[in-house]
Amino acid sequence: MYILNRRRFLQVGSLASAAMMMPKFLKAFESGALVPPGNKVLVIIQLSGGNDGLNTIIPYRNDIYYRSRPALGIKRETALSLSDELGIHPSLDGLKALYDEGSLAVLNNVGYPNPDRSHFRSMDIWHSASQSNEFWNDGWIGRYLDAQCNGCDKPTQALEIDDTLSLALKGDHNKGLALTDPGRLSNTSNDKYFKDLLQQHAHEDEHHSVEYLYKTMAETISSAAYIQQQFKTYQSKENYPATELGRNLRTIANLVMSDINTKVYYVSHGSFDTHVNQQDQQARLFKQLSEALTVFTGDLKKNNRFQDVAVMTFSEFGRRVSQNASGGTDHGTANNMFLISGGLKKQGILNDGPDLMNLKEGDLQYKVDFKSVYATLLNKWLSADDQLILKQHYEKMDFI
Amino acid sequence: MPVVAKKVEMQHLAWRAGFGETLPVITEWEKRRRKEIVNKVLIGPKRAELESVDVINATDLPDYKRFRDMTEEQKKTVREMNTQGIKDLNVAWLNMMEKSEHPLREKMSLFWHGHFACRTQDVLYNQQLIGVIRENALGNFGDLLSAVSKSTAMLQFLNNQQNRKQHPNENFAREVMELFTMGRGHYSEMDIKEAARAFTGWGFDDNGTFVFREKQHDDGEKIILGKRGNYNGDDVLKILLDQRQTATYITTKIFRYFVDDTPDQALIESLSDKFYQSGYEIKALMREIFMSDWFYDSKYIGNRIKSPVELLIGIRRTIPMAFEQEELMIAFQRILGQVLFYPPNVAGWPGGRNWIDSSSLMFRLRIPQVILYSQVLNIRPKEIAPEMGDGGNYKMTLQINDFLKRQFAKKVNARINWDPYIQGYSDIPRESLADEIAGVLLQQPGNIKKALLEKYADTGSREGYIKTVTIDVMSTPEYQLC
């Protein structure tokens, strides 16, 4: 029996009103899958600037670690203990609590073959999921949209909480949408002149670039209205920290708790580029991360959504094993990732910690290709064809 | 082939071979033969010397050559001069594009700037590279290739300074083949290895001058693309130019940049044949394109998405303006996804539909209002990722990021000189103004209804009318195209 539930009703309703102002050719993209299958949501937190993984998950039993970082090493007694071998940075106490309750998984030694130490190039590789000698102009979330959203209605399936869109969310045919504040986006795109322009547009040649621009414009205007409408339906009562990340996670929580069709949220936190005076800067950024995530996960739990939301953190590379002369670290290679959810199948420390005995020119060697993590999340969490999206087969993991 | 009006034809030429022209210029061009205008576009003003965009002299930098021996304080000064220098260079080149009487040279240089994509934190290296690009932009591709390959910026960026007989570094050889000349799939890994051996010894000295370090050169026999000999770097470039594939690869890229995103194989083949026969004369290739009837086919007219720099320069060429803070243009470039001297990777800017997503499009549509009505810039651009050079001068990128942050929520203050623009419409009767404005700003003007422009126009005065209609026409999706 077909039941028109509230979720579906709201979406049909909002689409009907948006569709009225659309020229005929544009109505096509308003049809199609209204809600993607499943209820799962992925939140990606990018730790920009190359976070020092060795001072994040600390191998506090390892002499090489302390020898390489006489000033910068985190002392055994200050690190928060996760296991006999590994501790977590003292400022990440919120993550330690998630670890204790079984909602956090740590993946060590994540990287990719032939690592690149340039921020922009390495970030490109993480965004596009290409090999390190390939240059792709689309991102893995963008290609997820291409695969899942062929002919579907809105780019709201993947949202970046930012003013501009990252490569990760740019597909060949579909692109995610960037916004910092649903209200501001809606104001900007609500300009009467833009709506009039859209209405008077009568061109019908789909191959012409002008159609692409009008289509993007129409999607933006209708998406902005849709997001704003959904955003109003739930306002968190939790006390989020007054940091940029706190505000952004609050925006995400409000949307996750609404009936919006968004599957992927993307947000950046940084900069972790700690060549000098690393300790203070990393501790400050970690504190912000920890506090924001504590409130965010608490909010999800209260609303019974924590089972359906997975948070993934990553950084474009880790730092070198040895500290440098200015109280910081330089660009390195392999790093760790956090996975946070009420729905993890495996929790805790998923694999061995860093192997400091087998460095390559002073750098950690990766054991897990990050694309395996992507493949796992795409396939098992988002029910998508990971091989199509990543253009290659990668081993899937069992944390979800 | 559907024929377009002569006026549209000339506007098409003005946009593709430059950054658009104003109504008086187009009206003048309309009266002349195509050949005459194409010649003018190719050659530029008679006897015009190449005006440099240099912003700094090597001697302006304190003890520049001995960075390693400097005190922290001195290093800081050098970094600041580099940061400021790269910002100045960006702004200087933008101004050149806006004011140039030879816009094709700047347009072509912009193309090569993306083709020979390079990032360096050193203002002098950047300055040297853009210098040789602008100098050879319309010259011979072989000369250009050689000059770029021997530039300090490129040798540093692609690690050829570390390419030595004992420890070859293949990065430079790989990119020269993959990105500068033949494109992927036309050579083997072995060819790269052998070419890398030939490039050993190519480097630069403390002054940033190309040097051939004979002791580091491997003078043994190499086999490259089926040829055998004791080759050096110059020989490799010559071998690569001998390959017809290089002509095809370059012509395809030029076609996609100047004509259409979708390559037409037959046209490209015929163009690249001539390019190859001419010994890689760039000007001859461009003449061939701009003189061809097919170039003016209506399917190509107004179907190309302007790059961010073209869009900004187009607006500024139409309506002269001076910004209180010229560096604001860097924030605009960042938001739109094209910062000069910061290509996204070695492959350059992908272009086309890649420029457009929801946020970049909505910002593009708002630019004319933001600038011309002095509105607040309320978009925060993403940070530019710093590079780690040998000198560890990543700090300068952080300074640029700080600068970009500070622009947030500030009003865009520019002195707009509307007079020449309004003057350009003095002969046009009021009732045809809207159509004329749309007609010169847009390549497919019929798409914007006069009634819509009228609805939003300031009808109080002729001047106000021209201004508001112009801003509204510039705020359309159609204006993003050329």
Side-chain angles (χ1 to χ4, degrees):
Chain A
M1 195 176 75
Y2 182 76
I3 299 168
L4 189 72
N5 62 20
R6 177 172 161 269
R7 169 190 285 260
R8 195 160 175 94
F9 176 77
L10 275 177
Q11 280 169 351
V12 170
S14 72
L15 290 179
S17 59
M20 305 247 260
M21 48 174 252
M22 295 289 157
K24 185 178 76 192
F25 84 99
L26 287 172
K27 284 184 184 153
F29 79 79
E30 287 288 342
S31 59
L34 291 177
V35 185
N39 205 15
K40 298 284 191 253
V41 169
L42 174 63
V43 178
I44 300 164
I45 302 180
Q46 170 177 308
L47 305 180
S48 308
N51 173 42
D52 180 9
L54 276 177
N55 274 15
T56 306
I57 298 297
I58 299 130
Y60 54 28
R61 275 287 183 83
N62 199 311
D63 290 344
I64 304 174
Y65 169 75
Y66 289 106
R67 271 205 304 275
S68 311
R69 303 182 160 205
L72 214 55
I74 308 266
K75 293 196 180 64
R76 170 135 204 214
E77 50 280 20
T78 33
L80 310 173
S81 166
L82 299 181
S83 72
D84 285 350
E85 303 288 328
L86 300 172
I88 192 167
H89 191 285
S91 298
L92 292 173
D93 50 340
L95 274 75
K96 156 76 173 157
L98 290 167
Y99 175 87
D100 289 340
E101 68 174 43
S103 310
L104 177 92
V106 178
L107 198 53
N108 294 301
N109 307 309
V110 192
Y112 56 89
N114 303 312
D116 197 298
R117 267 175 241 270
S118 141
H119 287 288
F120 80 100
R121 182 59 197 139
S122 196
M123 198 53 104
D124 249 21
I125 292 166
W126 277 85
H127 278 205
S128 65
S130 74
Q131 305 302 319
S132 60
N133 61 349
E134 293 172 319
F135 301 96
W136 292 0
N137 296 324
D138 48 24
W140 71 291
I141 300 298
R143 290 195 305 276
Y144 159 76
L145 293 177
D146 281 346
Q148 297 296 102
C149 255
N150 198 9
C152 82
D153 58 343
K154 291 181 195 315
T156 50
Q157 319 243 350
L159 298 181
E160 177 163 9
I161 312 301
D162 204 309
D163 279 340
T164 57
L165 195 69
S166 292
L167 174 64
L169 287 90
K170 293 184 186 175
D172 194 18
H173 304 290
N174 294 279
K175 290 183 174 70
L177 197 136
L179 75 153
T180 310
D181 172 358
R184 204 171 85 208
L185 174 72
S186 148
N187 274 343
T188 308
S189 52
N190 225 351
D191 194 308
K192 248 173 89 18
Y193 177 65
F194 294 154
K195 287 192 171 171
D196 274 356
L197 265 178
L198 199 57
Q199 208 151 27
Q200 63 106 53
H201 180 74
H203 218 271
E204 294 282 334
D205 176 4
E206 298 235 9
H207 297 293
H208 201 284
S209 301
V210 80
E211 292 328 286
Y212 175 72
L213 298 178
Y214 270 100
K215 181 172 169 283
T216 306
M217 186 179 169
E219 280 175 357
T220 310
I221 291 177
S222 101
S223 299
Y226 173 58
I227 294 168
Q228 173 72 345
Q229 183 194 344
Q230 294 300 324
F231 190 71
K232 280 193 231 151
T233 61
Y234 179 86
Q235 286 296 308
S236 172
K237 290 176 197 67
E238 299 305 308
N239 193 14
Y240 279 83
T243 57
E244 202 177 328
L245 184 66
R247 277 191 295 276
N248 290 341
L249 285 183
R250 184 195 166 92
T251 301
I252 293 174
N254 286 345
L255 289 169
V256 166
M257 255 72 91
S258 79
D259 284 318
I260 197 165
N261 66 357
T262 307
K263 302 293 289 175
V264 181
Y265 296 89
Y266 200 99
V267 67
S268 296
H269 181 52
S271 166
F272 285 89
D273 199 21
T274 49
H275 293 277
V276 284
N277 305 329
Q278 172 168 308
Q279 257 159 357
D280 294 349
Q281 195 180 342
Q282 196 188 31
R284 179 175 53 83
L285 290 169
F286 276 170
K287 185 162 181 277
Q288 292 176 2
L289 179 70
S290 181
E291 288 179 352
L293 276 174
T294 299
V295 180
F296 180 66
T297 49
D299 204 354
L300 294 174
K301 284 176 204 163
K302 279 188 197 162
N303 289 279
N304 294 317
R305 287 289 271 148
F306 195 35
Q307 295 294 318
D308 308 317
V309 177
V311 178
M312 175 197 110
T313 71
F314 81 98
S315 199
E316 69 267 37
F317 40 63
R319 316 293 292 191
R320 304 206 65 137
V321 175
S322 297
Q323 65 184 48
N324 65 20
S326 26
T329 49
D330 296 325
H331 300 181
T333 52
N335 208 349
N336 34 50
M337 291 174 82
F338 289 121
L339 297 148
I340 298 164
S341 173
L344 292 176
K345 288 225 172 83
K346 275 203 170 172
Q347 308 89 349
I349 297 164
L350 299 178
N351 57 351
D352 286 344
D355 180 358
L356 298 173
M357 299 282 278
N358 289 301
L359 302 180
K360 193 177 175 188
E361 292 165 27
D363 266 316
L364 293 168
Q365 302 203 53
Y366 87 101
K367 301 274 170 55
V368 179
D369 192 325
F370 71 87
K371 287 159 304 270
S372 271
V373 181
Y374 288 1
T376 308
L377 290 165
L378 286 168
N379 183 291
K380 295 189 180 178
W381 196 254
L382 298 174
S383 313
D385 183 343
D386 57 295
Q387 209 163 319
L388 176 78
I389 293 164
L390 300 174
K391 306 188 199 181
Q392 201 173 312
H393 171 79
Y394 293 99
E395 283 308 314
K396 281 181 268 297
M397 312 175 77
D398 53 8
F399 57 85
I400 45 170
Chain B
M1 188 184 86
V3 180
V4 297
K6 181 77 183 291
K7 182 181 174 194
V8 175
E9 214 183 284
M10 288 297 106
Q11 288 182 174
H12 180 59
L13 180 66
W15 265 110
R16 299 299 177 95
F19 305 91
E21 295 293 350
T22 54
L23 180 61
V25 174
I26 296 296
T27 312
E28 176 60 26
W29 284 13
E30 229 182 313
K31 296 177 202 150
R32 318 262 201 91
R33 296 207 326 272
R34 182 193 290 169
K35 193 175 169 188
E36 198 183 333
I37 301 302
V38 168
N39 270 337
K40 191 177 146 73
V41 163
L42 285 166
I43 294 160
K46 280 207 176 69
R47 284 197 304 274
E49 291 286 313
L50 173 64
E51 209 183 320
S52 91
V53 293
D54 286 2
V55 293
I56 197 162
N57 285 317
T59 49
D60 292 345
L61 283 154
D63 262 347
Y64 181 71
K65 287 170 271 182
R66 304 211 336 270
F67 192 80
R68 273 162 223 275
D69 307 335
M70 285 179 193
T71 64
E72 266 314 307
E73 200 53 35
Q74 287 170 315
K75 283 185 181 174
K76 198 176 157 210
T77 312
V78 171
R79 281 190 205 111
E80 275 165 9
M81 291 182 82
N82 273 309
T83 313
Q84 191 55 44
I86 293 177
K87 283 194 274 182
D88 290 347
L89 200 57
N90 183 316
V91 166
W93 192 18
L94 279 184
N95 286 335
M96 185 68 81
M97 291 181 204
E98 181 198 326
K99 305 220 160 66
S100 177
E101 290 183 66
H102 194 185
L104 176 61
R105 168 151 52 209
E106 306 310 325
K107 180 72 170 258
M108 204 81 219
S109 302
L110 188 57
F111 168 77
W112 296 122
H113 180 61
H115 180 77
F116 294 112
C118 179
R119 277 191 180 195
T120 165
Q121 307 266 19
D122 186 307
V123 59
L124 291 173
Y125 298 173
N126 269 315
Q127 194 170 275
Q128 183 197 33
L129 178 58
I130 196 59
V132 299
I133 285 179
R134 289 181 65 247
E135 207 175 296
N136 294 288
L138 281 162
N140 183 279
F141 175 71
D143 295 343
L144 175 64
L145 175 67
S146 170
V148 167
S149 303
K150 287 179 174 171
S151 71
T152 310
M154 202 55 91
L155 290 166
Q156 180 205 47
F157 185 56
L158 299 177
N159 313 108
N160 211 62
Q161 192 78 337
Q162 288 88 43
N163 187 13
R164 289 157 192 202
K165 185 177 178 178
Q166 310 303 335
H167 304 281
N169 184 313
E170 293 163 15
N171 201 19
F172 185 80
R174 181 181 302 279
E175 305 306 11
V176 167
M177 288 186 172
E178 175 176 337
L179 299 161
F180 299 173
T181 56
M182 297 177 74
R184 272 195 132 159
H186 299 279
Y187 48 84
S188 68
E189 280 298 307
M190 203 58 205
D191 290 325
I192 291 173
K193 277 194 166 45
E194 295 283 276
R197 288 178 57 215
F199 283 119
T200 50
W202 273 29
F204 50 91
D205 62 17
D206 281 351
N207 292 316
T209 311
F210 175 81
V211 283
F212 177 63
R213 298 164 298 176
E214 211 159 347
K215 281 183 191 151
Q216 284 154 19
H217 179 67
D218 176 347
D219 59 3
E221 192 181 71
K222 298 120 192 154
I223 304 174
I224 301 167
L225 294 158
K227 293 188 171 163
R228 187 188 292 264
N230 297 4
Y231 298 130
N232 61 26
D234 289 315
D235 299 326
V236 178
L237 296 186
K238 198 179 165 308
I239 291 171
L240 291 172
L241 289 168
D242 282 344
Q243 307 286 320
R244 298 188 75 95
Q245 171 57 28
T246 296
T248 308
Y249 180 73
I250 300 296
T251 309
T252 307
K253 256 187 121 167
I254 285 183
F255 186 91
R256 296 187 60 155
Y257 187 87
F258 286 92
V259 186
D260 196 65
D261 246 353
T262 315
D264 180 314
Q265 290 313 330
L267 286 177
I268 287 171
E269 206 171 306
S270 132
L271 287 171
S272 80
D273 267 353
K274 287 183 184 137
F275 188 38
Y276 186 78
Q277 297 304 338
S278 77
Y280 290 95
E281 289 303 330
I282 301 165
K283 199 180 281 171
L285 173 62
M286 300 319 291
R287 182 191 308 275
E288 187 69 30
I289 293 173
F290 298 146
M291 280 306 291
S292 298
D293 285 337
W294 55 255
F295 178 68
Y296 302 92
D297 189 322
S298 65
K299 74 176 172 194
Y300 295 139
I301 308 266
N303 196 31
R304 196 177 150 272
I305 297 172
K306 292 173 191 167
S307 72
V309 168
E310 286 171 284
L311 177 72
L312 292 169
I313 299 301
I315 295 171
R316 293 177 56 172
R317 263 184 98 87
T318 304
I319 304 160
M321 57 186 78
F323 289 88
E324 203 169 82
Q325 262 201 305
E326 288 271 16
E327 294 167 340
L328 195 64
M329 282 291 110
I330 301 172
F332 277 63
Q333 291 169 45
R334 186 69 193 148
I335 293 165
L336 295 172
Q338 185 184 33
V339 187
L340 296 174
F341 305 103
Y342 282 93
N345 55 50
V346 288
W349 294 278
R353 293 188 177 187
N354 245 289
W355 295 125
I356 303 296
D357 60 61
S358 311
S359 29
S360 67
L361 178 62
M362 294 318 280
F363 185 63
R364 276 169 173 249
L365 297 177
R366 285 182 47 232
I367 284 178
Q369 300 167 32
V370 167
I371 296 178
L372 300 168
Y373 294 147
S374 290
Q375 290 179 354
V376 165
L377 182 70
N378 63 352
I379 293 194
R380 207 188 297 267
K382 278 199 172 61
E383 293 188 345
I384 292 175
E387 285 314 292
M388 271 301 284
D390 289 340
N393 50 356
Y394 75 103
K395 277 189 186 167
M396 62 173 294
T397 311
L398 300 185
Q399 285 171 19
I400 292 184
N401 286 333
D402 276 349
F403 163 78
L404 291 178
K405 263 185 223 158
R406 285 199 303 275
Q407 299 307 312
F408 182 72
K410 281 208 180 140
K411 262 168 89 171
V412 173
N413 286 324
R415 254 181 305 113
I416 320 282
N417 182 8
W418 281 99
D419 296 348
Y421 178 75
I422 290 171
Q423 197 61 37
Y425 289 95
S426 54
D427 295 342
I428 313 292
R430 170 69 179 251
E431 61 274 17
S432 345
L433 266 179
D435 285 336
E436 279 290 341
I437 292 169
V440 78
L441 292 178
L442 308 176
Q443 284 300 78
Q444 302 212 331
N447 292 345
I448 303 295
K449 306 273 177 298
K450 187 180 170 187
L452 178 67
L453 295 172
E454 287 281 342
K455 180 177 165 190
Y456 286 89
D458 164 13
T459 48
S461 68
R462 189 181 158 90
E463 242 189 70
Y465 184 83
I466 294 176
K467 285 185 191 175
T468 47
V469 168
T470 300
I471 292 170
D472 286 340
V473 170
M474 284 180 166
S475 308
T476 58
E478 281 81 353
Y479 188 69
Q480 311 310 312
L481 300 163
C482 70

